[in-house]
């Protein structure tokens, strides 16, 4: 790959993304016009497919229609902020970074747990006042064991200091939660702390071979991994589960410095007109029946319902005891700096 090619792909990717956002932005309003039900913003790809297949019939059984509307968390925020008096979604699916912004902008509301019959099945740490945690995304390093040196990478330091990884690693920008969590960990290793991003930018300047692997999104990296064009990228266990389900030789390693993790929560938008349907969807997502299905390939989502046993596949990634030892970033600090980091990183990659 070369940098210019990647940027051309990136710009096309953003063009497609913009078109997709425009199209999907129309979907919720169309769904409302059709009458009733909840419109649930959900991450695109495997999340969208799984939630549509598993949760739509469960919500239907509860007496409500459910429209799954795919959108990345940043796009969900943008659409809600564009029409706060008439929100296009009844619920949002977000990690703490976007949740902090949504609370600050008064876009989501506290929930009434008494409306969720499965609320008691969640560990208290998953019972947020702004909505339940439906899974924990555990992040680390994905690699193709056929293409990387043995032994497997121990952590982020290996990727920059072991010349065997030169040109084999793909990175993406600071708009990605997965990426920004990795960069805060790298900043700890090579700098003075998680917000010392100058140390990360210097690292890339000192290792320009890594800039050749920069693309616009994790979804793009998934495609490149399948094509054998990259051997290593920063990802969640869910990404590796998806690759394995496609028959790819993919493995996951928790970095020796700790795995950054992000709870994923369902939030109730402020001003939703479909409150009962939204609660029915939320309740379905934390039910044993749903999480017993979502824990299986290709999603292998870590279950937050305590009555759901972990599969051997999930336990190979992370155990319930390890969840407590994950690295949970300071999203307030990240949000404060993020726009600046995005601009600096884009300028660095553009050369």
């Amino acid at each position: 790959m070369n940098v210019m090619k990647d940027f051309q792909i990136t710009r096309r990717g953003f063009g497609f993304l913009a078109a997709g956002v425009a199209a999907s932005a129309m979907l919720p309003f169309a769904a409302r016009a059709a009458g009733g039900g909840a419109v649930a913003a959900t991450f695109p790809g495997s999340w969208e497919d799984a939630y549509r297949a598993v949760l739509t019939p469960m919500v239907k059984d509860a007496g409500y229609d459910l429209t799954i509307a795919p959108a990345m968390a940043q796009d969900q925020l943008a659409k809600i902020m564009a029409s706060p008096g008439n929100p296009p979604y009844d619920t949002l699916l977000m990690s703490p970074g976007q949740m902090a912004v949504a609370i600050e902008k008064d876009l989501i509301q506290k929930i009434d747990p008494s409306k969720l019959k499965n609320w008691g099945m969640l560990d208290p740490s998953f019972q947020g006042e702004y909505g339940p945690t439906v899974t924990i995304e555990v992040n680390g390093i994905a690699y193709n064991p056929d293409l990387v040196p043995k032994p497997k990478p121990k952590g982020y330091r290996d990727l920059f200091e072991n010349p065997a990884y030169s040109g084999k690693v793909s990175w993406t920008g600071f708009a990605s939660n997965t990426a920004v969590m990795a960069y805060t960990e790298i900043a700890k290793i090579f700098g003075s702390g998680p917000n010392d991003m100058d140390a990360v930018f210097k690292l890339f300047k000192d290792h320009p071979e890594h800039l050749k692997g920069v693309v616009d999104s994790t979804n793009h990296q998934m495609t490149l991994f399948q094509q054998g064009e990259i051997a290593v990228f920063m990802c969640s266990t869910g990404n590796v589960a998806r690759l394995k389900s496609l028959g790819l030789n993919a493995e996951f390693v928790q970095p020796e410095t700790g795995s950054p993790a992000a709870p994923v929560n369902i939030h109730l938008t402020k001003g939703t007109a479909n409150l009962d349907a939204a609660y029915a969807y939320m309740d379905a997502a934390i039910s044993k029946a749903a999480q017993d299905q979502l824990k299986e390939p290709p999603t292998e989502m870590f279950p937050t319902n305590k009555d759901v046993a972990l599969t051997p596949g999930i336990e190979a990634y992370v155990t319930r005891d390890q969840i407590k030892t994950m690295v949970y970033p300071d999203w307030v600090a990240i949000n404060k700096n993020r726009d600046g980091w995005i601009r600096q990183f884009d300028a660095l990659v553009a050369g």
Side-chain angles (χ1 to χ4, degrees), residues 289-313:
Q291 296 202 357
D292 266 332
Q293 296 180 67
L294 296 169
K295 72 179 183 181
E296 299 292 342
T299 49
E300 293 194 284
M301 293 181 187
F302 187 94
T304 54
N305 185 311
K306 60 188 179 185
D307 282 359
V308 179
L310 300 189
T311 65

Side-chain angles (χ1 to χ4, degrees), residues 14-28:
F14 282 131
F16 289 134
L17 178 61
V21 166
S24 62
M26 297 172 61
L27 179 60

